[in-house]
Amino acid sequence: MALFLLRRLVAGVVMVFVVATGTFGLLSLAGTEVARNIVGETGTQEQVAAKAHELGLDQPLIVQYGHWLGNTVRGDLGRSWFTGASVGQSLATTLPVTMSIVIAGLLLSAVVSVALGATAALRGGWIDRILQVGAVLGTALPSFLIALVLAVVVAVKLRLLPATGYVTPTLSAAEWLGSITLPALSLAIAATAATAMQVRGSLIDVLQTDFVRTLRSRGLGKGSVVFRHALRNAAPPALTVLALQFIGLIGGAVVVEKVFGLPGIGSLANSATTQGDLPVLLGTVTVTVALVVLVNLLLDIAYGWLNPKVRV
């Protein structure tokens, strides 16, 4: 198991390298246009050339890439071309905001998915049909539309939760929870729909296996069979879907943060894309891909815990 995780870790590092390299190549096509954006339309050609030289944009692309890669390996993600702020510090400030709503949405999705999927698998009938219809609707609705509806209804009309802004948990835990509730709900609805259907399908398959029938024939209670044995065996496929949903939630957070005015990594990436701020974009992509790799490693560890065969 340890060797397998080591191989996955090496593969993850290679993935981060490949994605960051591809992003660098694509974003570098802008060339000196970025220098023109920084100087402004009123700047002279000499000023544009001076700014391009200052940023190293007049150097060969391989040299620029070598400088960026060397600094990144040492933990230095550079500085923003427009604000001069450290990219690492900017990510350290904005990443907790994004991870707050993503993790909250993921946990909410996991709990509700297990409850709905297990209920549909065990009860069947009209409950099962409602879940299937709700899953189709939840998957079809985009996160930004759900976010807008929640903002208008819950925040503006009912005034139950704030519509915009973010409060750090160190300042006020209650206000922090209120500021992330609507964004987390916006992200969780679609993820819950897909994961609940996977839990339902996996649990139905497991309940029809021989070992479940054997457990029931030995007199074990229904609750013990379902929650101690069947759900554990049905969990791996659902975990795979949940891990994929995590990647989707990070992408959805970019739009949701704009709706609720959250200063997260999505807002940072959006402004950097508009400006062509290469260091900020590369830092954002690198950290995001590293998070995806970490989630996949945690998924492998969870597989090993749930299924002893995987450890072998």
Side-chain angles (χ1 to χ4, degrees):
M1 185 68 179
L3 183 60
F4 171 74
L5 291 177
L6 180 61
R7 288 200 299 266
R8 292 299 299 269
L9 180 61
V10 172
V13 172
V14 172
M15 180 186 296
V16 174
F17 169 78
V18 170
V19 173
T21 301
T23 304
F24 181 90
L26 291 174
L27 296 177
S28 297
L29 297 176
T32 56
E33 289 298 323
V34 177
R36 166 58 68 185
N37 293 338
I38 297 175
V39 173
E41 295 299 328
T42 59
T44 64
Q45 192 62 37
E46 290 75 15
Q47 290 175 322
V48 174
K51 177 57 69 174
H53 178 73
E54 177 187 340
L55 299 177
L57 296 175
D58 56 347
Q59 297 178 347
L61 190 60
I62 187 66
V63 175
Q64 298 180 43
Y65 176 72
H67 288 162
W68 173 80
L69 183 60
N71 292 332
T72 301
V73 170
R74 292 194 296 270
D76 180 12
L77 296 175
R79 291 186 172 274
S80 169
W81 285 348
F82 285 80
T83 65
S86 169
V87 175
Q89 292 179 357
S90 298
L91 290 172
T93 302
T94 56
L95 189 59
V97 180
T98 300
M99 294 311 297
S100 293
I101 64 173
V102 169
I103 292 177
L106 198 67
L107 291 176
L108 181 62
S109 173
V111 173
V112 176
S113 297
V114 172
L116 292 179
T119 302
L122 295 173
R123 300 277 181 166
W126 63 271
I127 296 178
D128 189 16
R129 289 192 290 273
I130 288 177
L131 174 63
Q132 294 183 50
V133 173
V136 172
L137 292 176
T139 306
L141 292 175
S143 297
F144 77 88
L145 181 58
I146 297 173
L148 287 172
V149 172
L150 289 176
V152 171
V153 175
V154 179
V156 177
K157 292 192 174 182
L158 300 179
R159 300 182 181 275
L160 297 177
L161 292 168
T164 59
Y166 177 79
V167 179
T168 60
T170 54
L171 185 62
S172 172
E175 293 184 11
W176 168 76
L177 187 61
S179 66
I180 68 169
T181 298
L182 290 182
L185 278 173
S186 304
L187 294 175
I189 288 176
T192 300
T195 311
M197 288 300 296
Q198 183 62 61
V199 171
R200 169 194 171 275
S202 299
L203 188 56
I204 288 175
D205 291 339
V206 172
L207 290 174
Q208 294 174 351
T209 56
D210 293 335
F211 90 92
V212 171
R213 285 193 288 268
T214 302
L215 291 174
R216 286 175 173 171
S217 66
R218 291 182 178 179
L220 267 71
K222 185 177 181 180
S224 177
V225 172
V226 172
F227 294 104
R228 293 187 58 186
H229 301 280
L231 268 180
R232 181 166 183 170
N233 284 271
L239 281 176
T240 302
V241 173
L242 206 60
L244 293 175
Q245 292 300 327
F246 173 81
I247 302 172
L249 292 184
I250 293 180
V254 176
V255 180
V256 171
E257 286 174 4
K258 292 291 289 183
V259 174
F260 292 102
L262 300 179
I265 196 172
S267 300
L268 180 68
N270 184 65
S271 61
T273 302
T274 304
Q275 296 172 332
D277 199 339
L278 183 61
V280 175
L281 282 172
L282 285 173
T284 302
V285 170
T286 302
V287 170
T288 302
V289 176
L291 283 173
V292 172
V293 171
L294 177 61
V295 168
N296 282 310
L297 284 175
L298 293 175
L299 179 65
D300 291 332
I301 294 173
Y303 274 173
W305 177 72
L306 291 169
N307 187 356
K309 294 179 181 178
V310 177
R311 304 173 202 168
V312 180

